[in-house]
Amino acid sequence: MSVEVKNVIKKFGSFTALDNVSLRVESGELVALLGPSGSGKTTLLRTIAGLEFPDNTGEAQVLFYGEDVTHIPASQRKAGFAFQHYALFRHMSVFENIAFGLRVRPKETRPPEKEIRARVEKLLHLIQLEPLGNRFPSQLSGGQRQRVALARALAVEPKVLLLDEPFGALDAKVRKELRRWLRHLHDEIHITTLFVTHDQEEALEVSDRVAILRDGKIEQIGTPEEIYDHPASPFVYDFLGNVNLFSGRVKDGAVVIGDTEIATPTAAGEQDSEAVAFVRPHDIRLTREAGGARTFRARVLRCNAAGPVANLELERLDGSGQFNAQLSKEEFQQLQPKAGEEIFVELKNIKFFSDDYSI
Amino acid sequence: MATNRTKARKIRVLPGFKLTLGFTLFYLGLIVLIPLGAVFWKTATLTWPQFWQTITMPTAMASYRLTFGASFCAALVNVVFGLIVAWVLVRYEFFGKKIVDALVDLPFALPTAVAGITLATLYSEHGWLGKLLLPLGITVANSRLGIFVALTFIGLPFIVRTVQPILEDLDPELEEAASSLGASRWQVFWRVILPMLTPALLTGFALAFARALGEYGSVIFIAGNKPMLTQITPLIIMQELDMFDYPKATAIAVVMLVVSFVLLLSINVLQWWTNRYNTNNLA
């Protein structure tokens, strides 16, 4: 039981939006399509909805629970779609917006008026907007509009729910509230859901699995933990959060950066070659005691202790560049680093990529 | 109260609210209200019975029916076909689109007498179109149908030009949303696109209708101007003027003015009602 796309190619002029993409979303799963703009994530979503069609009609397939819907238009696919800018019908009340999908059904399958009312009321309750059924969309806030758009899509009992940057047009606070609400909603109704986002935090927080897209291809797919802890490529590593790059070599089971040699288990058995080490800012430890070959020296440029963690900017003394470190509040208070001070740096959790590491 | 008033005074971004409002009122007064006032002034030289007799004389009554009826029908037909023209111009790319787009404005620019003479020639018994229609028993020249044709001609640009920008701004996502909810193409048009165009269509209708009511030049050449049959109200007014009977002419003009004003006002109310969803007040 799944929603599946197979071998989809889609081009717009000379631009390849989807380059032979295949994806399988299990029934009841909440999957995020994450990627920078132009990576094809929205095109993939629209292809599933039937708003775009693959170029390679022969090989490409879109399957809803085994049923081939590749050539079925959007109006008959029963895929609920929510747009970034809501696309609510301005001339209809909130109630009528939600009822739209039921009212346009042919006579034979259209529920009686009483049932339509009951269903819309139920959805208004679900999106916590019961008293606002008579308002027009222009009288609602952005967050409320997006919830109406979701209810409207859910009203037709879709086989899959597709959300195109659902929180992209909202301010940061509403965004966080709404994505938690979406997670709860999904836990409640368990509808197979795909949502597009370019916000890694959003993708990691909300979804069961994350698919990372780049240049029309799926770079990696996995649970948020999997892709965060074991990124398959430098691109994924970089895309999922702040990262420091140190260029060096892999040699005898260690990563060598300048005079520093850091024993790294994953480097064992690797050939002697050039490599780039990726280190997250929170995987950097600062100390005042020299730690031999494991540590190197750096100068503190700037400290910013506002917020739950302290962010530091540092510069390596061998002149090979700047990097960022993140300390917990306690670590920061114990160490009390000052701008201009020289300090020892230890890299704790290194991930290195020895081949082409372009990001 | 006095302190409240100074506090409540709004600070505006653009200065000169009083100046511009004053100018607007003065200008409208000079250009619109004073001439219209003169019409009422002249009419007032008639006594009530004289006034009533003038405005209800059979030829005048027939001309009201014709003028308002033909103008209404012409504007209505233009709503349908103007919408189609606007739709084609906005939604499709084709060779010569710019030229077609420019053609739409021609009825604006052409002297109406030229349009009238051209139409009369085309639709006369020996004209290109009249010749073809004659065997079918349709006479356009010197008939009410001719008046309707002329009024349709001059009204077309109003609908196209009011609907076109709204149609261009219509978000394609609305149609996609509707179709992903299961709506057929026809339902998308009928339930989503048309309601969003209605205010613009009403505006275009009102403009075309108002234009047709006052139209004189193009109509008199094709109408034949037979009393009781094909005389439009502006022609009746002209006839009275030709006889230097200014009070009678203005009396009929007053009827035109009042009825037109009431009709346009009701269209505006209707338009406001169809556009009510655009309010932002959280009532």
Side-chain angles (χ1 to χ4, degrees), chain A residues 46 51 74-75 79 81 83 85 87-92 100-101 103-105 135-136 138-140 152-153 156, chain B residues 170-171 173-184 187 191-192 195-196 276-283:
Chain A
R46 290 171 60 87
L51 298 170
S75 56
F81 201 99
F83 295 86
H85 298 288
L88 292 178
F89 306 128
R90 278 187 296 153
H91 60 288
M92 294 180 200
F100 184 85
R103 293 210 194 283
V104 295
R105 284 197 189 162
R135 295 258 180 102
F136 284 108
S138 62
Q139 297 168 319
L140 301 181
R152 184 179 66 175
V156 296
Chain B
L170 214 60
D171 191 348
E173 285 188 353
L174 287 174
E175 291 164 54
E176 290 177 348
S179 75
S180 78
L181 290 167
S184 65
Q187 283 173 323
R191 287 173 175 259
V192 176
M196 312 220 54
R276 69 200 180 286
Y277 52 81
N278 267 342
T279 54
N280 275 313
N281 54 327
L282 292 159

Side-chain angles (χ1 to χ4, degrees), chain A residues 255 257 259-263 290-296 345:
Chain A
V255 175
I257 301 161
D259 297 332
T260 322
E261 241 180 74
I262 303 140
R294 289 186 295 122
T295 59
F296 61 86
V345 179

Side-chain angles (χ1 to χ4, degrees), chain A residues 233-295:
Chain A
S233 68
F235 174 80
V236 174
Y237 202 104
D238 185 54
F239 199 76
L240 288 180
N242 292 329
V243 68
N244 295 301
L245 270 59
F246 298 94
S247 49
R249 297 189 72 78
V250 180
K251 203 171 154 187
D252 306 330
V255 175
V256 183
I257 301 161
D259 297 332
T260 322
E261 241 180 74
I262 303 140
T264 310
T266 47
E270 286 282 329
Q271 282 187 337
D272 188 351
S273 65
E274 288 196 13
V276 173
F278 287 65
V279 185
R280 298 254 182 239
H282 57 77
D283 283 332
I284 289 176
R285 206 169 75 89
L286 302 180
T287 162
R288 292 221 165 76
E289 289 141 35
R294 289 186 295 122
T295 59

Side-chain angles (χ1 to χ4, degrees), chain B residues 39 59 84 86 100 122 155 172 209 211 243 253:
Chain B
V39 171
T59 49
I84 296 174
V100 175
L122 271 176
F209 180 59
R211 175 80 174 82
M243 290 186 280

Side-chain angles (χ1 to χ4, degrees), chain A residues 34-307:
Chain A
L34 176 67
S37 46
S39 60
K41 53 195 192 305
T42 295
T43 310
L44 180 58
L45 200 74
R46 290 171 60 87
T47 308
I48 298 171
L51 298 170
E52 305 284 354
F53 291 90
D55 290 340
N56 53 337
T57 43
E59 307 101 74
Q61 268 190 317
V62 181
L63 303 166
F64 285 5
Y65 308 102
E67 184 196 347
D68 189 342
V69 295
T70 318
H71 303 288
I72 292 178
S75 56
Q76 285 151 42
R77 258 190 212 194
K78 298 201 86 181
F81 201 99
F83 295 86
Q84 182 180 2
H85 298 288
Y86 329 124
L88 292 178
F89 306 128
R90 278 187 296 153
H91 60 288
M92 294 180 200
S93 65
V94 166
F95 186 97
E96 286 305 318
N97 262 285
I98 299 173
F100 184 85
L102 300 172
R103 293 210 194 283
V104 295
R105 284 197 189 162
K107 266 223 167 66
E108 311 86 68
T109 55
R110 192 189 311 152
E113 181 64 27
K114 223 174 122 190
E115 202 190 314
I116 293 182
R117 301 215 140 254
R119 264 162 85 172
V120 175
E121 292 295 342
K122 211 173 136 196
L123 283 161
L124 278 170
H125 176 76
L126 190 70
I127 60 169
Q128 300 150 12
L129 290 179
E130 282 150 307
L132 304 185
N134 291 324
R135 295 258 180 102
F136 284 108
S138 62
Q139 297 168 319
L140 301 181
S141 72
Q144 291 172 330
R145 287 182 207 184
Q146 190 55 281
R147 279 185 275 161
V148 174
L150 270 167
R152 184 179 66 175
L154 287 172
V156 296
E157 293 174 336
K159 293 174 179 165
V160 54
L161 187 60
L162 306 167
L163 314 172
D164 186 8
E165 306 230 9
F167 316 124
L170 302 170
D171 61 66
K173 195 164 179 290
V174 181
R175 224 176 146 121
K176 280 201 172 160
E177 272 170 33
L178 210 54
R179 74 191 188 210
R180 268 178 213 143
W181 175 80
L182 175 70
R183 184 66 239 190
H184 289 309
L185 180 79
H186 186 265
D187 291 341
E188 222 170 293
I189 59 177
H190 285 295
I191 180 172
T192 313
T193 307
L194 274 100
F195 81 101
V196 158
T197 179
H198 59 253
D199 181 343
Q200 37 91 13
E201 203 185 310
E202 191 171 294
L204 295 177
E205 184 183 317
V206 175
S207 53
D208 296 325
R209 280 198 302 155
V210 181
I212 294 181
L213 277 90
R214 178 196 192 186
D215 297 335
K217 284 186 166 144
I218 291 180
E219 191 100 347
Q220 190 179 3
I221 180 160
T223 65
E225 292 81 358
E226 265 166 34
I227 59 160
Y228 192 83
D229 293 337
H230 306 288
S233 68
F235 174 80
V236 174
Y237 202 104
D238 185 54
F239 199 76
L240 288 180
N242 292 329
V243 68
N244 295 301
L245 270 59
F246 298 94
S247 49
R249 297 189 72 78
V250 180
K251 203 171 154 187
D252 306 330
V255 175
V256 183
I257 301 161
D259 297 332
T260 322
E261 241 180 74
I262 303 140
T264 310
T266 47
E270 286 282 329
Q271 282 187 337
D272 188 351
S273 65
E274 288 196 13
V276 173
F278 287 65
V279 185
R280 298 254 182 239
H282 57 77
D283 283 332
I284 289 176
R285 206 169 75 89
L286 302 180
T287 162
R288 292 221 165 76
E289 289 141 35
R294 289 186 295 122
T295 59
F296 61 86
R297 295 175 73 194
R299 180 182 288 115
V300 179
L301 294 177
R302 207 191 319 262
C303 305
N304 177 9

Side-chain angles (χ1 to χ4, degrees), chain B residues 79-91:
Chain B
V79 165
V80 177
F81 290 95
L83 174 60
I84 296 174
V85 172
W87 182 271
V88 169
L89 286 176
V90 171
R91 289 296 167 108

